[in-house]
Amino acid sequence: MSLTRHFLIRTYGCQMNVHDSEKVANLLHHDGYASASSENDADVLIINTCSIREKAEHRLYSDLGLLRAWKEERSGRVLGVAGCVAQQEGDAILRRFPFVDFAFGPHNLRLVPEMIGAAQQGQRSVRTDEAADLARFDLPERHPAFEGQTPGRAYLTVMEGCDMFCSFCVVPNTRGREISRPAEGIVAEAISLAGRGVREVTLLGQTVNAYGRHDLRRGRAEIAGTVAFAELLGRLDAIEGIERVRYTSPHPIFYDEALIAAHGKLASLCPHVHLPVQSGSDAVLERMRRRYRADDYRALVERLRAARPDLAITTDLIVGFPGETEEDFRRTLALVRDVGFVDSFSFKYSPRPHTSAAELEDVVSPAEAQARLEEIQTLQRGLTLDYHRSRVGQTVPVLVEGGSRRGAGQVSGRDPHHRVVNFSVPREPGPRPGALASLRIVEATPHSLIGELQDSTSPGRAAVKPERRRADGTGRSAAVEG
Ligand code: SAH
Ligand code: SF4
Ligand code: F3S
């Protein structure tokens, strides 16, 4: 029998959480662990939690209810809880669930091997200290075990934390204060990723385009090693092998001229932004403490589209925020229609602990909130389908992700606009995951595009950059405009 210990991480929540799980997995690989194919094979199980809405938090408690049996099934098993619920409720989780060995927050990923070691000695631990230093960005390079997991793509942390304190949101409490990583480390990581065949990086931060803002304002950017966000994008664009750059999630108030212009200039910068708006009513936006008005958002969209006419914009929306009237909600519908979002994630407002909106009165009834949610989702479905139809006939480079949900012989990937494109492979071998395939869009469905394979390039540094600058300097891909 092999002595290698196996781990499994179950992840909920946003891309930051997905990437935190990757970082923990990386640490464990470096520590000699192997990943388990199922919970049955796992010696160590970590649940990486999300606390954004009540439902997300409850998922942890229902999971834990079932995991007592897992823990007791085999001696020596270790169970840990990570993420935003752990940060918020660390001690309480250990008190309530005596079979949980440890809990730790997003600032303490590096301590996982140590906490597992302690658990094996019978010691339980909670690590939720907030680290204000940059040490948490210093993690080991990607272990070879990562190769092939998300071929051609990688997340790249540029900043962490959030200082915005929108009145509905737990994130400033769970992720702590904003801190930006020095540009040099980000660029070095991107170069290393490119060397391993990564073509697309997604820059991560809770308010990613606030990158470096505190350093800049305090006149200490040079000491901190940060630069303006647009400048960072320019440096990444210059890296050989990095063909696509995305960033998520930006906040509308942190767009400056340079960042808007970058969308027209940088060939690697994808023509998609996920730009959460939350509401189309100024009164609601004010109570949400979003710091912009609906017309500011509209104006920003116009400027972005002036820089990059084919930009696809997606968003997040909250319905049923305290005090939201029918009139407020109509304003949100109007904004969704005016902007013509390519897609949106809409949520019913959920009161969260230690947030100021939780104190607001005049709550919207659950039935009303549900009706609004359905109305906005119906509107969005129509807009998404319209957008998909407008894309039929174009030829686009698609970064292949793998088998499609549509079944055998069906492959799926994403185009520069971040839309899912499904296609069938006429003969094996088709383009491998991580390859860029040229596809002609032949059909639109409500959730994705259907394409026909034209040709493909295989992954690797030697590959040409089909999306690089055009001779006319517009930086746009001819295929996308075609
Ligand atoms: N940092 C991003 C959002 C992160 S949370 C930003 O600033 O836009 C992702 C989305 O969850 C938010 O955009 C919001 O639409 C939703 N959300 C956050 N808190 C919520 C709450 N209390 N109830 C319902 N939805 C919420
Ligand atoms: Fe939450 Fe607002 Fe920060 Fe986004 S900007 S993470 S919604 S507090
Ligand atoms: Fe959830 Fe935390 Fe992300 S609350 S959305 S996992 S920052």
Side-chain angles (χ1 to χ4, degrees), residues 15 18-19 22-23 142 146-147 149-158 189-204 236 242 244-248 399 401 434:
Q15 289 100 325
V18 171
H19 193 37
E22 290 176 344
K23 290 174 184 174
R142 288 226 296 195
F146 268 93
E147 303 314 332
Q149 289 201 6
T150 55
R153 295 173 290 139
Y155 288 127
L156 183 46
T157 303
V158 304
E189 189 173 343
I191 292 172
S192 150
L193 289 168
R196 291 156 186 247
V198 167
R199 297 160 181 273
E200 175 182 302
V201 290
T202 301
L203 311 185
L204 293 183
L236 295 167
I242 297 296
R244 292 181 172 190
V245 176
R246 305 182 185 278
Y247 58 87
T248 197
L399 187 62
E401 291 184 3

Side-chain angles (χ1 to χ4, degrees), residues 162 164-166 168-169 171-172 206-207 251 278 290:
C162 181
M164 297 303 287
F165 290 91
C166 299
F168 52 82
C169 185
V171 172
Q206 262 77 32
T207 48
H251 190 291
Q278 316 299 358
R290 287 294 290 183

Side-chain angles (χ1 to χ4, degrees), residues 71-119:
K71 178 79 194 274
E72 287 168 357
E73 205 174 75
R74 206 156 78 206
S75 76
R77 276 184 164 167
V78 172
L79 179 59
V81 179
C84 290
V85 183
Q87 181 66 32
Q88 240 176 230
E89 310 287 338
D91 291 305
I93 293 170
L94 260 65
R95 274 199 305 274
R96 190 169 150 197
F97 300 95
F99 52 94
V100 171
D101 294 295
F102 59 88
F104 63 102
H107 291 194
N108 294 285
L109 309 181
R110 287 181 307 156
L111 304 178
V112 171
E114 194 181 300
M115 287 185 285
I116 295 175

Side-chain angles (χ1 to χ4, degrees), residues 35-362:
S35 48
S37 51
S38 72
E39 262 136 45
N40 212 15
D41 301 331
D43 305 292
V44 174
L45 180 60
I46 295 173
I47 309 186
N48 195 2
T49 61
C50 173
S51 174
I52 201 79
R53 286 167 289 275
E54 201 182 3
K55 241 194 201 158
E57 181 173 347
H58 280 168
R59 213 164 278 161
L60 168 69
Y61 302 124
S62 60
D63 277 15
L64 287 179
L66 298 170
L67 283 169
R68 176 193 286 271
W70 174 86
K71 178 79 194 274
E72 287 168 357
E73 205 174 75
R74 206 156 78 206
S75 76
R77 276 184 164 167
V78 172
L79 179 59
V81 179
C84 290
V85 183
Q87 181 66 32
Q88 240 176 230
E89 310 287 338
D91 291 305
I93 293 170
L94 260 65
R95 274 199 305 274
R96 190 169 150 197
F97 300 95
F99 52 94
V100 171
D101 294 295
F102 59 88
F104 63 102
H107 291 194
N108 294 285
L109 309 181
R110 287 181 307 156
L111 304 178
V112 171
E114 194 181 300
M115 287 185 285
I116 295 175
Q120 284 160 343
Q121 310 294 319
Q123 286 160 24
R124 305 172 78 210
S125 50
V126 177
R127 306 301 290 265
T128 49
D129 301 340
E130 186 175 336
D133 59 64
L134 293 165
R136 69 181 123 127
F137 295 118
D138 275 336
L139 292 164
E141 281 224 351
R142 288 226 296 195
H143 189 275
F146 268 93
E147 303 314 332
Q149 289 201 6
T150 55
R153 295 173 290 139
Y155 288 127
L156 183 46
T157 303
V158 304
M159 57 88 71
E160 287 185 347
C162 181
D163 291 352
M164 297 303 287
F165 290 91
C166 299
S167 64
F168 52 82
C169 185
V170 288
V171 172
N173 299 328
T174 62
R175 296 272 165 168
R177 301 289 54 77
E178 265 176 54
I179 181 165
S180 295
R181 187 179 169 190
E184 205 181 323
I186 299 168
V187 170
E189 189 173 343
I191 292 172
S192 150
L193 289 168
R196 291 156 186 247
V198 167
R199 297 160 181 273
E200 175 182 302
V201 290
T202 301
L203 311 185
L204 293 183
Q206 262 77 32
T207 48
V208 68
N209 57 339
Y211 174 78
R213 67 164 172 143
H214 289 326
D215 302 328
L216 212 60
R217 189 173 45 85
R218 293 179 195 135
R220 60 182 303 278
E222 211 165 308
I223 305 164
T226 54
V227 295
F229 187 59
E231 158 84 24
L232 180 67
L233 293 175
R235 291 195 192 176
L236 295 167
D237 183 69
I239 298 172
E240 194 56 43
I242 297 296
E243 294 166 44
R244 292 181 172 190
V245 176
R246 305 182 185 278
Y247 58 87
T248 197
S249 284
H251 190 291
I253 69 167
F254 298 121
Y255 275 88
D256 57 13
E257 277 308 325
L259 177 52
I260 293 170
H263 277 278
K265 274 196 219 138
L266 301 179
S268 65
L269 193 55
C270 286
H272 165 239
V273 285
H274 182 70
L275 187 57
V277 65
Q278 316 299 358
S279 169
S281 151
D282 290 344
V284 172
L285 286 170
E286 167 121 34
R287 282 202 303 283
M288 286 179 164
R289 266 208 244 124
R290 287 294 290 183
R291 307 172 205 219
Y292 52 82
R293 289 163 302 163
D295 280 347
D296 299 331
Y297 187 92
R298 284 186 175 88
L300 173 61
V301 166
E302 249 173 58
R303 287 161 69 209
L304 281 164
R305 284 186 176 147
R308 183 76 210 232
D310 68 336
L311 190 71
I313 302 173
T314 56
T315 201
D316 290 342
L317 298 154
I318 295 177
V319 298
F321 189 76
E324 183 188 68
T325 61
E326 187 57 28
E327 182 62 33
D328 291 322
F329 176 61
R330 297 284 137 206
R331 292 202 164 100
T332 302
L333 292 173
L335 183 131
V336 169
R337 229 177 273 119
D338 292 350
V339 173
F341 290 112
V342 161
D343 215 340
S344 59
F345 299 97
S346 38
F347 310 101
K348 280 183 281 185
Y349 168 69
S350 164
R352 305 305 294 130
H354 317 296
T355 60
S356 58
E359 316 289 316
L360 293 176
E361 291 174 0
D362 205 6

